[in-house]
């Protein structure tokens, strides 16, 4: 059986999203049919819109969905119709990497998340009779209904507003997970965050939760630095400031314990690396653009015990970490509402424009009855 639903189709690289009717399959084994209530827009969606996926279009993007389970396929035991779920990234939960507790690096992750297809290569949606890429992060949440996998769905408290739940699936998990899971930052340690967007600001909120002694934020925008301060940054710097790394090294007396690159640019990664102290760790979160830039690092800088690590999805297991973030929010320690900016689904191109022009930090599309932007 097929269901007629609405989805935002991307038909050409950097083109607009066009909302149209598509046919969605019924759930297969291990899948959930989810009525989407909201979906965040993440920088990864924009990078894929700009052609990073190199897969044929049209495609339905979106990977920060939340909604209500309508039906479940064979073999689904932990979910039932009526459950509220947050959709995160796909992992097989069975390979050696998943079993070791790091599902973000699942050996089947690339096939299940960024091919635009299911891990077996099939597509859940058809448009004008033709299959389209519609399983981005096993959800393609820029749609009113999607097929998710039981491995990338997390059952959550239905009382939290959808515009707060949606971005937990990727952006907020990535920033907060980097600090709390990948770094396991301890009270009294220092963090520097380059890029105060949704990911960087989530990292800053998490650093306050962990009791960081100083949290440095760097961004191009004075408004974002002001917000970073309100959310926990102790020192802020404009990215254009001359001798930025020297100033930060001086301020931190030789560098920070942890630095995070949240932009995806080689020169910013180099700055983050340079302000990390010996035995400290510099983490890369930003997704580089299609040109796949390279970075040059001083070998001596590594030799003195600095670590450089790439971090996907905060190295967090969504089944454990998303409920933890929801609890922190309930305690008033993770104020998601400061970052989330709702748009009606029909205004998806405005949301994308506002994200690209940095006027909205975390646009969230409301699939039903969203207020005007
Ligand atoms: Zn796996
Ligand atoms: Zn994302």
């Amino acid at each position: 059986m097929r269901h007629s639903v609405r989805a935002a189709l991307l038909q050409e690289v950097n083109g607009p999203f066009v909302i149209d009717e598509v046919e969605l399959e019924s759930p297969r084994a291990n899948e959930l049919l989810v009525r989407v209530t909201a979906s965040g827009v993440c920088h990864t969606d924009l990078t894929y819109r700009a052609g990073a996926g190199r897969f044929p279009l049209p495609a339905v993007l979106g990977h920060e969905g939340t909604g209500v389970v309508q039906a479940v396929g064979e073999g689904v035991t932990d979910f039932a119709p009526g459950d509220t779920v947050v959709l995160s990234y796909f992992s097989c939960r069975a390979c050696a990497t998943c079993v070791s507790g790091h599902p973000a690096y699942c050996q089947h992750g690339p096939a299940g998340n960024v091919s635009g297809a299911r891990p077996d290569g099939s597509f859940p949606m058809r448009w004008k009779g033709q299959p389209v890429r519609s399983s981005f992060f096993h959800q393609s949440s820029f749609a009113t209904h999607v097929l998710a996998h039981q491995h990338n769905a997390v059952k959550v408290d239905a009382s939290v507003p959808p515009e707060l739940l949606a971005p937990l699936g990727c952006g907020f998990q990535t920033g907060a997970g980097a600090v709390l899971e990948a770094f396991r930052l301890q009270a009294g340690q220092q963090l520097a965050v380059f890029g105060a967007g949704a990911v960087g600001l989530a990292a800053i909120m998490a650093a306050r939760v962990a009791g960081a002694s100083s949290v440095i934020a760097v961004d191009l925008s004075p408004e974002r630095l002001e917000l970073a301060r309100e959310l926990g940054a102790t020192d802020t710097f404009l990215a254009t400031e001359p001798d930025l790394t020297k100033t930060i090294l001086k301020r931190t007396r030789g560098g920070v314990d942890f630095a995070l690159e949240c932009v995806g640019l080689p020169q910013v990664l180099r700055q983050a690396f340079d302000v990390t102290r010996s035995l400290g760790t510099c983490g890369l979160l930003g997704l580089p653009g299609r040109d796949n830039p390279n970075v040059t690092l001083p070998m001596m800088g590594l030799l003195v015990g600095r670590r450089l690590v790439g971090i996907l999805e905060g190295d967090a297991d969504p089944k454990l970490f998303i409920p933890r973030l929801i609890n922190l929010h309930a305690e008033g320690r993770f104020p998601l509402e400061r970052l989330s900016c709702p748009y009606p689904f029909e205004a998806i191109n405005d949301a994308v424009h506002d994200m690209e022009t940095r006027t909205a930090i975390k646009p969230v599309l409301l699939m039903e009855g969203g207020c005007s932007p």
Side-chain angles (χ1 to χ4, degrees):
M1 199 181 116
R2 293 181 181 277
H3 312 260
S4 183
V5 306
R6 289 188 309 138
L9 293 134
L10 178 71
Q11 297 174 60
E12 57 185 4
V13 167
N14 278 326
F17 290 98
V18 176
I19 298 176
D20 201 2
E21 299 280 321
V22 297
E23 298 287 308
L24 179 67
E25 289 181 2
S26 289
R28 295 185 179 183
N30 301 308
E31 288 185 341
L32 319 174
L33 171 64
V34 177
R35 176 172 58 81
V36 179
T37 50
S39 173
V41 183
C42 176
H43 267 291
T44 300
D45 296 310
L46 304 193
T47 310
Y48 273 74
R49 174 174 170 258
R54 296 172 194 269
F55 50 58
L57 300 173
V60 181
L61 300 176
H63 63 285
E64 289 186 339
T66 185
V68 181
V69 175
Q70 305 295 295
V72 300
E74 209 180 300
V76 173
T77 50
D78 295 345
F79 300 90
D83 286 346
T84 297
V85 288
V86 168
L87 305 179
S88 187
Y89 66 86
F90 171 80
S91 64
C92 77
R93 303 194 81 82
C95 71
T97 318
C98 281
V99 169
S100 75
H102 300 280
Y105 308 103
C106 172
Q107 293 163 20
H108 303 282
N113 289 308
V114 293
S115 70
R118 290 188 178 98
D120 69 3
S122 64
F123 307 109
M125 289 177 193
R126 297 171 80 88
W127 181 54
K128 296 184 175 172
Q130 297 299 316
V132 292
R133 290 192 182 248
S134 47
S135 193
F136 195 52
F137 285 74
H138 221 308
Q139 48 178 297
S140 285
S141 57
F142 293 163
T144 57
H145 298 73
V146 300
L147 292 182
H149 194 284
Q150 60 175 344
H151 290 166
N152 70 321
V154 184
K155 207 187 297 188
V156 296
D157 178 352
S159 69
V160 184
E163 65 268 28
L164 303 186
L165 287 175
L168 293 171
C170 182
F172 294 167
Q173 168 171 261
T174 296
V179 172
L180 299 175
E181 296 284 318
F183 290 164
R184 297 195 177 264
L185 185 142
Q186 303 295 309
Q189 292 187 309
Q190 300 171 314
L191 174 73
V193 174
F194 290 77
V199 169
L201 291 168
I204 288 167
M205 294 194 288
R208 179 150 78 177
V209 167
S213 60
S214 72
V215 179
I216 290 165
V218 179
D219 198 271
L220 286 166
S221 147
E223 293 79 25
R224 292 212 174 178
L225 292 177
E226 179 56 39
L227 180 57
R229 258 183 197 282
E230 291 170 21
L231 295 174
T234 55
D235 301 88
T236 58
F237 298 94
L238 278 170
T240 47
E241 191 169 308
D243 292 326
L244 179 63
T245 51
K246 267 192 204 155
T247 309
I248 293 176
L249 286 171
K250 204 169 156 197
R251 182 74 62 92
T252 57
R253 299 193 178 156
V256 291
D257 300 292
F258 300 104
L260 277 178
E261 201 282 357
C262 309
V263 181
L265 290 173
Q267 64 271 30
V268 179
L269 178 59
R270 177 63 199 270
Q271 286 179 321
F273 182 79
D274 285 347
V275 303
T276 304
R277 68 167 176 78
S278 293
L279 294 179
T281 304
C282 174
L284 169 63
L285 302 185
L287 176 68
R290 186 179 166 145
D291 300 336
N292 198 24
N294 298 311
V295 68
T296 303
L297 296 172
M299 287 172 71
M300 272 311 292
L302 271 176
L303 201 58
V304 297
R306 274 195 197 89
R307 295 176 180 85
L308 176 63
V309 62
I311 304 170
L312 285 178
E313 297 287 348
D315 194 12
D317 179 345
K319 303 250 183 201
L320 305 172
F321 195 65
I322 289 174
R324 185 178 169 195
L325 290 180
I326 292 172
N327 285 339
L328 285 169
H329 175 258
E331 292 167 7
R333 301 169 71 199
F334 198 73
L336 304 165
E337 60 281 357
R338 299 296 306 275
L339 310 181
S340 172
C341 185
Y343 291 77
F345 184 31
E346 292 68 25
I348 180 170
N349 293 304
D350 296 337
V352 167
H353 174 265
D354 290 354
M355 190 166 192
E356 282 179 331
T357 53
R358 293 172 57 87
T359 49
I361 293 177
K362 171 53 74 179
V364 178
L365 307 171
L366 297 176
M367 295 351 193
E368 30 196 62
C371 53
S372 299

Short mmCIF file of all heavy atoms in Angstrom, two decimals, residues 42-44 63-64 137 170-171 313, ligand 2:
data_model
loop_
_atom_site.label_atom_id
_atom_site.label_comp_id
_atom_site.label_asym_id
_atom_site.label_seq_id
_atom_site.Cartn_x
_atom_site.Cartn_y
_atom_site.Cartn_z
N CYS A 42 19.37 21.67 9.18
CA CYS A 42 20.74 21.57 9.68
C CYS A 42 21.69 22.00 8.57
O CYS A 42 21.35 21.91 7.38
CB CYS A 42 21.00 20.12 10.09
SG CYS A 42 22.66 19.72 10.63
N HIS A 43 22.88 22.46 8.93
CA HIS A 43 23.84 22.86 7.90
C HIS A 43 24.14 21.73 6.92
O HIS A 43 24.43 21.98 5.75
CB HIS A 43 25.12 23.39 8.54
CG HIS A 43 25.06 24.88 8.69
ND1 HIS A 43 25.10 25.72 7.60
CD2 HIS A 43 24.92 25.65 9.77
CE1 HIS A 43 24.99 26.96 8.02
NE2 HIS A 43 24.87 26.95 9.33
N THR A 44 24.06 20.50 7.40
CA THR A 44 24.32 19.37 6.51
C THR A 44 23.29 19.33 5.38
O THR A 44 23.62 18.96 4.25
CB THR A 44 24.32 18.07 7.34
OG1 THR A 44 25.36 18.19 8.32
CG2 THR A 44 24.58 16.85 6.49
N HIS A 63 16.87 15.84 8.25
CA HIS A 63 17.32 14.73 9.11
C HIS A 63 17.23 15.10 10.59
O HIS A 63 17.98 14.61 11.40
CB HIS A 63 18.74 14.31 8.71
CG HIS A 63 19.77 15.37 8.89
ND1 HIS A 63 19.88 16.45 8.04
CD2 HIS A 63 20.71 15.55 9.84
CE1 HIS A 63 20.86 17.22 8.45
NE2 HIS A 63 21.38 16.71 9.55
N GLU A 64 16.29 16.01 10.89
CA GLU A 64 16.03 16.35 12.29
C GLU A 64 14.52 16.31 12.50
O GLU A 64 13.90 17.30 12.85
CB GLU A 64 16.55 17.75 12.62
CG GLU A 64 18.07 17.85 12.66
CD GLU A 64 18.56 19.21 13.13
OE1 GLU A 64 17.82 20.21 13.04
OE2 GLU A 64 19.72 19.28 13.57
N PHE A 137 19.42 10.10 6.06
CA PHE A 137 19.51 9.76 7.49
C PHE A 137 18.34 8.86 7.91
O PHE A 137 17.82 8.96 8.99
CB PHE A 137 19.57 11.02 8.36
CG PHE A 137 20.91 11.71 8.32
CD1 PHE A 137 21.30 12.43 7.21
CD2 PHE A 137 21.80 11.64 9.38
CE1 PHE A 137 22.53 13.07 7.15
CE2 PHE A 137 23.03 12.27 9.34
CZ PHE A 137 23.40 12.99 8.22
N CYS A 170 20.01 15.94 15.51
CA CYS A 170 21.35 16.09 14.92
C CYS A 170 22.12 17.26 15.53
O CYS A 170 23.08 17.07 16.25
CB CYS A 170 21.30 16.23 13.42
SG CYS A 170 22.94 16.37 12.68
N GLY A 171 21.70 18.50 15.25
CA GLY A 171 22.54 19.66 15.59
C GLY A 171 22.84 19.79 17.08
O GLY A 171 24.00 19.94 17.47
N GLU A 313 28.15 13.44 15.01
CA GLU A 313 26.97 13.34 15.87
C GLU A 313 27.33 13.34 17.36
O GLU A 313 26.66 12.71 18.18
CB GLU A 313 26.16 12.08 15.53
CG GLU A 313 25.61 12.06 14.11
CD GLU A 313 24.43 13.03 13.90
OE1 GLU A 313 23.90 13.53 14.89
OE2 GLU A 313 24.08 13.27 12.73
ZN1 LIG B 2 22.73 17.55 10.88
#
